[in-house]
Amino acid sequence: MLKTYENKLRVLHLQKKWKVAVLGSGSWATALVKILTENKRKVSWYVRNNESSIKIKKHGINPKYLNSLKLKTKRLNIGCDINKIVEEVNVIIVAIPSVYAFKELNKINIDVSEKIFISAVKGVLPEKMQILGNFFHDHFKISYNQIGVISGPCHAEEIAMEKLSYLTFSCPNSTNAKVISKWLRCKYVRVSISGDITGTEYAAMLKNCYAIAAGAAHGLGYGDNFMSVLMSSSIREMKKFIKNIYKMKRNINNSAYLGDLLVTGYSSFSRNRKLGVMLGKGYDVKDALLEMDMIAEGYYGSKSAFQINKKFKSNTPILDTVYTIMYEKTNAKKAFKKLESKLD
């Protein structure tokens, strides 16, 4: 009883003491800033583009993403120097698209060995073929107890509209998990806690690839029956892929895995589904990417998944199909005809 009380006091102390930064200025970073500031947190925000930084300070909106969302600028310290932003905080939430994350994180040249790094990135670093958690550990020489992952099921657009949403915060350190998960809870966000930083981070990457497959199926004119088989096969495929990389007790039907897959595969807000729809309708990959107004992480994720799976050799016909469409210029219709017989 005394130990429980002491733990509660420690959590409350750290909640007040710790300072937080968000790195990145895209839609997901902006949504996280909204949640944190509405929870009365002062947030240091790394915005690489100086023009965007000035406009956010002046008008209280991000001019490029979620620009209908009014931000509480009095609680924001916005800057374009990543080292100054990182130096003054204890907790660093990285919400930079995976294709740019390595370049930005590589700019950090100060001691961060005592800091906590949280990945809100839904992809693998292509330069390293690593999820962010492993990169934090190797590059910054920090313990896995200082690492966490924010995953869905959640869309930035629904956070902006204050639609009821659910997040999963994964962290092996229970105290850190309690402190940071409280920062993310608000009237329209529920948060569950997990210890599976590796599984949830891989799931966040894989669900984008499966969403491209779902979109392509829709674009090709497949019906609800095929879609149900495709999605149920996708979650089984995800389970095998993650299990072969990191074995631990996890329920793949939990919201961080299945829930995030479903919302990304079916939602009209899903940029990965949108990319898939265009491919299914006959767009060339290059032309489809040019049509996108935001980054579709599944494009890069499908290549990373394919390369990683060369080592683990999981049976992943859906991921393989997405990869061949993306990188081997296989026609989506022909690729899905081959896939049909591999699903059950």
Side-chain angles (χ1 to χ4, degrees):
M1 194 73 174
L2 180 60
K3 189 175 181 180
T4 302
Y5 179 69
E6 288 174 348
N7 286 340
K8 283 183 179 179
L9 287 179
R10 175 169 168 74
V11 169
L12 287 169
H13 172 69
L14 292 176
Q15 278 182 316
K16 292 177 182 178
K17 180 184 176 183
W18 279 351
K19 297 178 181 178
V20 62
V22 173
L23 311 184
S25 57
S27 57
W28 190 219
T30 305
L32 289 169
V33 167
K34 170 182 166 63
I35 294 168
L36 291 165
T37 54
E38 289 188 356
N39 271 335
K40 299 184 179 178
R41 304 300 311 176
K42 289 185 178 179
V43 179
S44 295
W45 191 5
Y46 171 63
V47 177
R48 182 179 60 85
N49 184 286
N50 189 50
E51 186 180 341
S52 294
S53 173
I54 292 167
K55 287 183 178 178
I56 295 169
K57 289 174 185 176
K58 185 176 180 180
H59 303 293
I61 60 167
N62 186 335
K64 293 186 176 180
Y65 303 97
L66 304 183
N67 54 23
S68 63
L69 174 59
K70 189 73 174 174
L71 296 165
K72 298 180 184 298
T73 53
K74 289 183 180 179
R75 293 178 186 155
L76 292 175
N77 169 34
I78 304 168
C80 300
D81 185 329
I82 196 168
N83 284 292
K84 282 185 179 178
I85 292 292
V86 166
E87 188 173 28
E88 61 190 23
V89 302
N90 312 93
V91 179
I92 300 145
I93 299 175
V94 182
I96 304 167
S98 62
V99 69
Y100 304 126
F102 177 76
K103 181 181 177 182
E104 294 302 314
L105 292 170
N106 218 29
K107 294 177 182 177
I108 298 174
N109 53 29
I110 60 171
D111 180 20
V112 293
S113 60
E114 300 299 317
K115 299 184 186 292
I116 294 168
F117 276 81
I118 310 298
S119 172
V121 178
K122 299 168 183 180
V124 168
L125 294 178
E127 297 88 348
K128 295 287 186 178
M129 284 297 157
Q130 283 184 307
I131 52 176
L132 268 289
N134 291 343
F135 175 77
F136 295 151
H137 174 73
D138 294 345
H139 187 75
F140 295 122
K141 311 301 179 187
I142 61 175
S143 161
Y144 279 107
N145 279 331
Q146 295 166 247
I147 294 168
V149 176
I150 298 171
S151 56
C154 193
H155 282 303
E157 292 82 359
E158 291 200 342
I159 293 291
M161 293 185 288
E162 300 190 0
K163 298 278 189 182
L164 182 60
S165 302
Y166 292 78
L167 291 176
T168 301
F169 182 68
S170 304
C171 181
N173 183 297
S174 61
T175 299
N176 294 351
K178 287 174 184 175
V179 173
I180 296 163
S181 65
K182 287 196 176 209
W183 292 353
L184 299 170
R185 288 190 181 100
C186 63
K187 63 183 180 181
Y188 51 88
V189 179
R190 307 285 183 267
V191 183
S192 58
I193 293 175
S194 166
D196 184 17
I197 57 172
T198 300
T200 54
E201 199 164 5
Y202 272 112
M205 179 265 286
L206 292 169
K207 53 97 175 184
N208 289 325
C209 307
Y210 294 123
I212 291 175
H218 179 76
L220 287 164
Y222 285 93
D224 293 343
N225 291 321
F226 178 82
M227 191 67 74
S228 67
V229 173
L230 178 68
M231 298 305 276
S232 60
S233 297
S234 294
I235 194 62
R236 292 197 300 273
E237 206 175 276
M238 180 188 286
K239 181 180 180 179
K240 285 184 282 187
F241 188 103
I242 297 172
K243 185 179 179 181
N244 284 344
I245 291 175
Y246 186 71
K247 288 183 174 67
M248 71 169 285
K249 187 176 181 181
R250 63 173 64 87
N251 185 349
I252 204 69
N253 295 319
N254 283 349
S255 58
Y257 316 97
L258 178 59
D260 209 5
L261 169 66
L262 293 176
V263 75
T264 311
Y266 285 116
S267 175
S268 59
F269 291 121
S270 171
R271 65 199 74 165
N272 292 283
R273 177 184 167 85
K274 180 181 176 181
L275 175 60
V277 170
M278 287 191 283
L279 296 172
K281 289 184 175 179
Y283 278 68
D284 175 82
V285 173
K286 186 177 179 181
D287 291 338
L289 291 170
L290 287 172
E291 287 281 325
M292 300 292 293
D293 53 1
M294 290 189 285
I295 290 170
E297 288 277 16
Y299 171 72
Y300 304 98
S302 61
K303 185 175 184 179
S304 299
F306 185 82
Q307 295 293 336
I308 291 166
N309 199 37
K310 283 183 178 179
K311 176 181 177 181
F312 295 97
K313 295 180 170 53
S314 299
N315 182 29
T316 56
I318 303 170
L319 288 175
D320 295 346
T321 297
V322 174
Y323 174 81
T324 60
I325 294 169
M326 292 294 185
Y327 293 95
E328 295 182 355
K329 298 183 178 179
T330 304
N331 176 275
K333 188 173 183 179
K334 288 182 180 178
F336 268 73
K337 278 293 177 188
K338 289 183 180 179
L339 179 63
E340 286 174 13
S341 61
K342 298 175 182 177
L343 302 180
D344 54 35

